[in-house]
Amino acid sequence: MPLSLDLLATPVLRCLHHIRLSRIIGMLLVILIVIPLITHWYLGSVDGTSQRHDLPGVESPGIFQDMDPKELRHHVHELHRIKSSVSNELLELESKRQRLQGSISHYNGEVEQAKVELETARNELNALKLQLRQTQKELEETMEAHRPRVAQPHRILPSENDNVLIAPPASSSSCRQHTCFDYSRCSLTSGFPVYVYPTEDSIFPLDSYIQDVTLSSLEQNLYLSSNPATACVYVVIVGTLASRLGAKDMERKLTSLPYWRGDGRNHLLINIARDYSAENVLRNIETGRAMVVQSEFVFSQYRAGFDIVIPPVFTWEAGRDAFDSIPPQVPAHRKHLFSFVGEKDSAGVIVSEKGELLYKDDASSNRRGETGELDVLADLVAIENNDDDNLLVKVTCGGDSVRGLRGEWQLCGKPQERQQVLRESTFSIIIVAASSVLSSVLTTVRLYESLKYGAVPVILGEQVQLPFSEVIDWQQATFVFPLARVSELHFFLRTVSDSDLLRMRRQGRFLWETYLSSPQAVLNTVLSVVRTRIAIPPKTVPEEPSPTVYNEDTYPLLLEEVEPISETGMEFGPVEPPYDSPKFLRNFTTSVVDKHTLWNSFPGPFYLYPYLPSDPVLPSEAKFMGSGLGFRPINKGSGGAGKEFQESLGGNVPREQFTIVMLTYERESVLINSLQRLIGLPYLNKVLVVWNSPNLPSEDLRWPDIGVPIVVIRTKKNSLNNRFLPYDVIETEAILSIDDDAHLRHDEILFGFRVWREARDRVVGFPGRFHAWDGSHQSWLYNSNYSCELSMVLTGAAFFHKYYAYLYSYVMPQVIRDKVDEYLNCEDIAMNFLVSHITRKPPIKVTSRWTFRCPGCPQALSHDDSHFQERHKCINHFVQVYGYMPLLNTQFRVDSVLFKTRLPHDKQKCFKFI
């Protein structure tokens, strides 16, 4: 190992210590004198030898020996002159060489510049060619799209006394939709106008409750019309007081209606009596061609596909936002496997000490099992007595009860008591009325209460007609068994998996909330059933107005040209002029082809949306064989790597663009900087700046000219819900919701857009978060830590379909939006809850980004500790509203196809850094 300098210096110092200073000085003087002398002598001898060899004739005779000194001096001067001349020429040549070298360098630079300009010109030429091809394609598509294919139908309105268009059936009891409905009054483009007879002039007097509830609900209906001459359907409300009239009086009053037209065509007689005895007040009434809408029907009265079964009026309540009275959907299994509490309304039954069912009449007190319904209850009681599971079966009320039809099982107890039983029951047994009854009030009440409180209905008896059964698929929410299966019922119910059980419970709550829970829901459903029958699309969903901050006359938006901010990894595609997504392409086919899906999935059939994320996709070859309108296949279908990929959108759907919605609050410099980063962004339609501040922007604020329109929306109040309003200026299906301080590269935005196009029903974005279970408090926590599993994508940088903006603003429970306003937080969590609730799918995260850093930006609210506490509370509140946790976990993110793939030198990757 090498020694340190200190160890080497120590012995030297010791030696010098013993030598006198005078000796050292003497030695140094000798060295300084001798060495220069020796050096001088050596150099002199070498120089003399060299000169003798250099001078010709010094050692041998030559021409210089014959020269006299004067000639020799002249000759030396001539040689010096020649030397100077040669030196000057050499300097001139060096100067020329340097000038030539500079010229060569200059020309090389010009050549390189020319090459760059040539490559740029080639790229511009290719871009122009691509743009020309796209323009030609757009022109062809525009001409094709505007070519009339069908003529608008003419609306033919018969006169008030006309009775020729539809031949009357043999009797009103044989009425069906195609035989008794006058389609001529309901053109496909009529909009389904509905006229409601005024209650103050009503032939059937209504009590104050019926009048207030029903008419206030109908007045909010989208189809209400004040012009009876052009109405498609006429609504007559029949209440409890109508039961005081005789059959002849009621028929006379019906025929005296001003638009009855002799047979009641296109009339809806809605019987919403509050009294059980008046539920079937129209049973023996000749109603002609009018449709009867009520809760109770017998087989001889009901006209399939024409009359409509509804829940009784006394079950109607607040509706969607009554979540605090509804139990959670989890756990799947409750205290009781199933429950039934009721009492036979005929001669009556009693339960013996041995658990046997006996008649209460004297003549047959020892007879058991004479009727099928008695056998049913006997089997149920036997199951309860002989099984260890906790089954709840009671066949006597022993207190308050509600009577229905003769022979029907009474409702036992008060509503609060029945509610408690259903809250503790996994399944609820419902025994239908006598075989002559198709639909009864008490059966519908049991169904209503079971759905509300999460006990999956098990209906014994197949002849029952449930509410709105022609459009609602009750098999998704109920079990229907014949009476003969009662002895095997407990075996079957134990085989139902937890996933099926919870799915049916969730579907049951959807059906209850959407169609049964309130007067408005029931009456809207009645009219929607009729509208669906005649294939008229629903009303279009309302758009949110977009009031702008700026006014062209008094307060214009000032634009200025700015240089684009170059970013590493920016990918360029074709920059197109704004192109709006086509709207309402399936407005007439959706209500017919997708009828089952619309009625049995969230949000229901009440609105027509411009486009849906679930719109069908064409087969791959269709885009090349007659159905290529709007498609931009990569390299005309031949495929390709990066170059070809960047020239076209490709994919499985026609071309489209996206709209950026940017929420901001009094951060003008941050906002303008973010807008500048959007210059040259391909497929961008426009930018909406949601100005959430009550203060107007600065008068001298200059907005960057980014090549697409910038619309600055002035909001009514500072609310984070404004981020998801379906503004009418958003004319694309794809929305990129982004914060004003989120910095995304162009390639990241384009990649997220391309991924969203293949997963249109999902939230696709960048920062991921997840919900974590707090076992100690049995609640949920919001978590932003790095994790291999996520369940949310923050909407500060995420793509979603505009369809979800409609649902967030108009369909999602209002209490969720109220909570967002209360905390000024959690709107992104609410959107993730909504989409996962509808799709039952997790979001999709793209790229490796987990957070966003904004150098120089003010401190964000998300850095406050209270921010996370509020988000914990939001998650648990939203779970309470939905009744369960909709969020689902995912363990993957999406990267580009050729990411980290080795390619030949002549191929490019789809995205260099993704």
Side-chain angles (χ1 to χ4, degrees):
M1 295 178 62
L3 299 176
S4 65
L5 293 177
D6 293 338
L7 295 177
L8 290 172
T10 300
V12 176
L13 292 176
R14 289 177 178 175
C15 293
L16 292 177
H17 181 71
H18 298 286
I19 301 175
R20 292 183 178 181
L21 183 59
S22 58
R23 292 184 179 179
I24 295 175
I25 294 174
M27 292 174 62
L28 289 176
L29 289 175
V30 172
I31 292 172
L32 291 176
I33 293 173
V34 172
I35 290 178
L37 291 175
I38 296 174
T39 303
H40 179 71
W41 173 81
Y42 176 77
L43 292 177
S45 62
V46 172
D47 184 58
T49 305
S50 175
Q51 288 182 2
R52 285 195 301 269
H53 286 288
D54 291 339
L55 292 176
V58 174
E59 294 182 351
S60 60
I63 58 175
F64 295 107
Q65 293 180 353
D66 299 332
M67 290 183 182
D68 58 9
K70 185 176 180 180
E71 290 178 355
L72 182 60
R73 187 182 301 110
H74 175 73
H75 189 71
V76 170
H77 287 166
E78 186 66 20
L79 292 175
H80 279 293
R81 186 186 63 78
I82 294 173
K83 177 182 177 183
S84 298
S85 176
V86 172
S87 298
N88 292 334
E89 289 179 0
L90 290 175
L91 291 174
E92 290 177 1
L93 291 175
E94 178 63 22
S95 177
K96 289 180 179 180
R97 189 190 67 80
Q98 292 179 356
R99 288 196 301 270
L100 290 174
Q101 189 67 34
S103 299
I104 292 173
S105 300
H106 173 71
Y107 289 133
N108 286 337
E110 290 184 351
V111 169
E112 294 299 326
Q113 181 66 26
K115 289 181 179 179
V116 172
E117 292 176 356
L118 177 61
E119 185 65 24
T120 303
R122 286 176 178 172
N123 293 337
E124 292 177 355
L125 179 62
N126 292 333
L128 289 175
K129 290 180 178 179
L130 177 62
Q131 187 174 358
L132 180 60
R133 291 196 300 269
Q134 291 177 344
T135 303
Q136 291 174 344
K137 185 70 174 178
E138 290 172 9
L139 179 60
E140 296 173 0
E141 292 173 348
T142 302
M143 295 177 63
E144 179 70 17
H146 289 82
R147 183 179 301 164
R149 299 187 179 184
V150 295
Q152 182 173 347
H154 296 284
R155 189 178 182 201
I156 304 173
L157 294 178
S159 64
E160 294 184 1
N161 298 321
D162 187 10
N163 193 26
V164 178
L165 292 177
I166 303 177
S171 65
S172 62
S173 61
S174 61
C175 264
R176 295 296 182 268
Q177 184 71 21
H178 64 282
T179 59
C180 289
F181 191 84
D182 185 0
Y183 283 87
S184 66
R185 301 197 63 85
C186 306
S187 171
L188 289 174
T189 59
S190 65
F192 191 64
V194 176
Y195 176 77
V196 180
Y197 284 94
T199 55
E200 56 270 15
D201 301 329
S202 176
I203 59 171
F204 301 115
L206 304 175
D207 59 51
S208 58
Y209 174 80
I210 295 296
Q211 183 172 347
D212 294 342
V213 169
T214 59
L215 294 185
S216 62
S217 300
L218 286 171
E219 287 174 357
Q220 301 175 25
N221 194 275
L222 299 173
Y223 307 102
L224 192 66
S225 172
S226 59
N227 185 6
T230 60
C232 168
V233 172
Y234 301 85
V235 174
V236 181
I237 304 297
V238 181
T240 305
L241 301 179
S243 60
R244 303 176 183 177
L245 302 174
K248 295 298 183 182
D249 292 337
M250 292 189 65
E251 291 177 3
R252 187 177 67 254
K253 287 181 175 294
L254 286 175
T255 56
S256 66
L257 289 171
Y259 309 104
W260 189 258
R261 297 186 177 89
D263 55 11
R265 67 183 65 179
N266 293 29
H267 275 63
L268 278 172
L269 304 180
I270 303 180
N271 179 14
I272 50 177
R274 301 178 64 193
D275 189 350
Y276 284 95
S277 62
E279 276 298 331
N280 203 354
V281 67
L282 299 174
R283 178 174 181 178
N284 297 315
I285 305 301
E286 177 57 47
T287 57
R289 298 183 184 180
M291 290 171 278
V292 178
V293 182
Q294 61 184 20
S295 301
E296 188 175 287
F297 285 97
V298 296
F299 273 96
S300 59
Q301 176 191 13
Y302 181 74
R303 296 167 292 184
F306 196 68
D307 296 331
I308 302 174
V309 179
I310 62 173
V313 67
F314 49 80
T315 61
W316 298 354
E317 53 184 70
R320 287 186 183 276
D321 292 343
F323 67 92
D324 51 350
S325 64
I326 304 174
Q329 300 180 31
V330 180
H333 295 278
R334 298 176 176 177
K335 179 180 179 181
H336 306 298
L337 176 63
F338 62 78
S339 64
F340 177 82
V341 180
E343 183 173 338
K344 192 73 172 176
D345 190 58
S346 58
V349 292
I350 60 175
V351 183
S352 68
E353 295 180 356
K354 297 181 179 180
E356 296 181 340
L357 298 176
L358 303 175
Y359 282 112
K360 291 168 65 175
D361 61 323
D362 295 334
S364 56
S365 59
N366 291 324
R367 292 180 303 169
R368 178 180 181 273
E370 294 264 332
T371 66
E373 294 171 5
L374 191 62
D375 288 338
V376 168
L377 266 297
D379 289 333
L380 290 178
V381 171
I383 292 173
E384 181 186 31
N385 293 336
N386 298 327
D387 201 274
D388 295 335
D389 289 347
N390 192 3
L391 309 180
L392 179 61
V393 176
K394 294 182 180 179
V395 295
T396 56
C397 289
D400 295 335
S401 64
V402 179
R403 301 185 63 180
L405 299 173
R406 181 174 177 81
E408 190 174 14
W409 290 93
Q410 301 178 20
L411 284 174
C412 295
K414 298 179 180 179
Q416 295 80 4
E417 297 172 347
R418 298 197 299 271
Q419 170 185 339
Q420 185 59 35
V421 171
L422 293 172
R423 282 175 173 269
E424 298 177 349
S425 303
T426 305
F427 298 95
S428 172
I429 305 299
I430 301 175
I431 304 177
V432 301
S435 57
S436 61
V437 179
L438 185 69
S439 173
S440 69
V441 173
L442 296 189
T443 298
T444 308
V445 171
R446 290 183 185 273
L447 175 68
Y448 176 95
E449 293 180 345
S450 298
L451 294 175
K452 179 180 178 181
Y453 298 114
V456 177
V458 180
I459 301 172
L460 296 179
E462 297 176 298
Q463 75 276 13
V464 66
Q465 189 74 19
L466 299 178
F468 310 118
S469 58
E470 75 176 90
V471 289
I472 294 178
D473 184 3
W474 285 106
Q475 291 183 343
Q476 295 185 13
T478 64
F479 289 115
V480 180
F481 293 103
L483 293 174
R485 290 291 187 191
V486 64
S487 61
E488 301 173 307
L489 189 62
H490 66 99
F491 168 77
F492 176 86
L493 296 181
R494 288 191 179 94
T495 65
V496 179
S497 66
D498 289 0
S499 58
D500 287 331
L501 176 57
L502 292 175
R503 180 181 58 83
M504 295 181 71
R505 187 175 291 164
R506 186 170 68 93
Q507 181 69 6
R509 176 165 171 176
F510 159 73
L511 296 177
W512 173 80
E513 286 182 336
T514 308
Y515 305 119
L516 311 176
S517 61
S518 67
Q520 185 175 358
V522 173
L523 294 175
N524 285 347
T525 304
V526 170
L527 296 179
S528 295
V529 168
V530 179
R531 177 187 54 74
T532 302
R533 288 176 179 175
I534 58 180
I536 293 181
K539 289 286 186 181
T540 58
V541 65
E543 300 269 3
E544 188 70 19
S546 307
T548 179
V549 169
Y550 293 95
N551 183 284
E552 290 297 330
D553 298 326
T554 61
Y555 196 61
L557 185 145
L558 303 178
L559 295 176
E560 66 175 357
E561 293 187 4
V562 295
E563 292 293 330
I565 300 177
S566 60
E567 299 183 15
T568 302
M570 183 179 294
E571 297 286 343
F572 293 95
V575 179
E576 306 173 325
Y579 172 78
D580 301 338
S581 297
K583 298 180 180 179
F584 302 109
L585 296 180
R586 305 181 65 242
N587 50 355
F588 288 98
T589 56
T590 299
S591 57
V592 177
V593 177
D594 298 334
K595 179 178 72 172
H596 181 273
T597 302
L598 290 177
W599 278 91
N600 294 280
S601 59
F602 191 88
F606 301 119
Y607 282 119
L608 178 66
Y609 298 91
Y611 14 62
L612 297 173
S614 59
D615 284 341
V617 177
L618 290 171
S620 295
E621 67 269 25
K623 68 186 73 170
F624 307 106
M625 303 172 64
S627 301
L629 185 64
F631 283 94
R632 297 292 185 271
I634 295 176
N635 198 15
K636 298 181 179 181
S638 300
K643 180 179 181 298
E644 298 80 9
F645 177 77
Q646 294 172 11
E647 292 178 352
S648 303
L649 264 178
N652 303 309
V653 294
R655 74 180 181 114
E656 59 186 330
Q657 296 177 343
F658 61 91
T659 301
I660 288 181
V661 176
M662 187 177 293
L663 192 72
T664 188
Y665 187 92
E666 297 185 353
R667 298 200 296 184
E668 294 182 355
S669 61
V670 175
L671 171 65
I672 297 302
N673 183 267
S674 295
L675 290 174
Q676 291 179 8
R677 296 178 180 275
L678 303 178
I679 298 175
L681 178 61
Y683 308 117
L684 178 59
N685 184 272
K686 64 168 63 75
V687 177
L688 263 69
V689 177
V690 181
W691 194 265
N692 237 15
S693 172
N695 303 318
L696 293 176
S698 304
E699 293 185 4
D700 59 347
L701 181 62
R702 295 296 189 270
W703 298 81
D705 186 356
I706 62 175
V708 297
I710 297 177
V711 182
V712 186
I713 303 296
R714 186 170 187 175
T715 58
K716 298 177 182 178
K717 63 177 183 179
N718 179 19
S719 171
L720 294 180
N721 292 315
N722 295 331
R723 181 195 294 271
F724 301 128
L725 285 173
Y727 294 107
D728 53 10
V729 294
I730 300 177
E731 297 174 300
T732 60
E733 297 184 54
I735 296 176
L736 172 57
S737 173
I738 190 169
D739 289 337
D740 57 1
D741 59 354
H743 289 182
L744 287 174
R745 302 194 313 265
H746 284 199
D747 61 337
E748 293 176 314
I749 295 176
L750 295 181
F751 178 67
F753 177 53
R754 288 179 181 269
V755 171
W756 175 87
R757 280 168 47 81
E758 300 181 20
R760 310 172 74 84
D761 60 340
R762 315 275 279 275
V763 176
V764 177
F766 299 88
R769 302 292 185 265
F770 65 99
H771 62 296
W773 179 249
D774 183 3
S776 59
H777 296 89
Q778 295 294 293
S779 62
W780 293 104
L781 297 174
Y782 172 83
N783 202 309
S784 62
N785 296 329
Y786 294 103
S787 172
C788 294
E789 200 171 54
L790 59 90
S791 59
M792 291 177 282
V793 167
L794 301 187
T795 54
F799 285 91
F800 63 91
H801 200 285
K802 188 181 179 183
Y803 172 72
Y804 295 124
Y806 295 115
L807 301 188
Y808 184 99
S809 302
Y810 304 141
V811 182
M812 187 180 71
Q814 179 63 39
V815 291
I816 295 181
R817 293 189 293 272
D818 292 341
K819 184 63 67 174
V820 171
D821 286 336
E822 176 186 348
Y823 287 148
L824 206 63
N825 197 345
C826 307
E827 86 287 356
D828 47 0
I829 300 177
M831 177 58 81
N832 278 272
F833 264 68
L834 174 66
V835 177
S836 294
H837 172 66
I838 296 171
T839 63
R840 302 304 299 131
K841 299 176 183 178
I844 295 178
K845 173 176 169 48
V846 293
T847 78
S848 59
R849 280 187 181 265
W850 193 264
T851 58
F852 290 102
R853 299 181 182 272
C854 178
C857 294
Q859 187 79 353
L861 294 176
S862 58
H863 291 87
D864 190 356
D865 290 339
S866 62
H867 173 81
F868 288 92
Q869 296 301 322
E870 291 169 352
R871 292 170 87 80
H872 298 329
K873 295 177 183 177
C874 284
I875 284 186
N876 289 284
H877 177 72
F878 297 165
V879 168
Q880 184 183 7
V881 173
Y882 282 100
Y884 75 110
M885 167 55 77
L887 298 179
L888 295 173
N889 294 316
T890 181
Q891 298 179 353
F892 71 92
R893 74 167 193 242
V894 177
D895 291 310
S896 178
V897 172
L898 297 179
F899 180 61
K900 289 190 176 181
T901 301
R902 292 187 177 183
L903 299 178
H905 67 280
D906 59 337
K907 298 293 184 181
Q908 299 178 9
K909 291 191 175 184
C910 310
F911 295 92
K912 292 182 180 179
F913 302 99
I914 299 177

